[in-house]
């Protein structure tokens, strides 16, 4: 695996990393991406925990994501 390889998505690179567990605070709200990376990770046999720290993350991403 080449780090920074533009032909691989972040999820694809993580799927090849050998990690066993990944923690995701929030899913990308963009429907083009929402959940696709998680699917790639789970298909690679990686345990994915979603929602850990979501309130904290939403606190500082709220303006960027456009939630009110």
């Amino acid at each position: 695996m080449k780090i920074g390889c533009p032909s691989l998505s972040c999820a694809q690179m993580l799927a090849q990393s050998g990690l066993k567990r990944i923690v995701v605070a929030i899913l990308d709200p963009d429907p083009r991406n929402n959940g696709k990376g998680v699917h790639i990770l789970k298909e690679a046999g990686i345990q994915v925990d979603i929602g850990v720290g979501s309130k904290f993350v939403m606190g500082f991403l709220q303006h960027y994501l456009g939630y009110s």
Side-chain angles (χ1 to χ4, degrees):
M1 174 181 65
K2 180 180 174 187
I3 301 298
C5 180
S7 63
L8 295 177
S9 70
C10 292
Q12 291 168 324
M13 287 179 21
L14 288 168
Q16 295 178 10
S17 71
L19 293 171
K20 302 294 181 205
R21 178 177 176 240
I22 295 178
V23 177
V24 177
I26 60 170
L27 294 176
D28 188 334
D30 187 327
R32 295 173 294 175
N33 301 317
N34 188 281
K36 291 179 182 174
V38 171
H39 177 74
I40 290 169
L41 297 171
K42 287 182 175 181
E43 286 289 312
I46 299 172
Q47 176 186 335
V48 181
D49 297 330
I50 302 169
V52 178
S54 62
K55 288 182 182 180
F56 174 75
V57 171
M58 284 304 296
F60 68 83
L61 286 182
Q62 186 174 20
H63 179 73
Y64 172 75
L65 297 174
Y67 292 110
S68 56

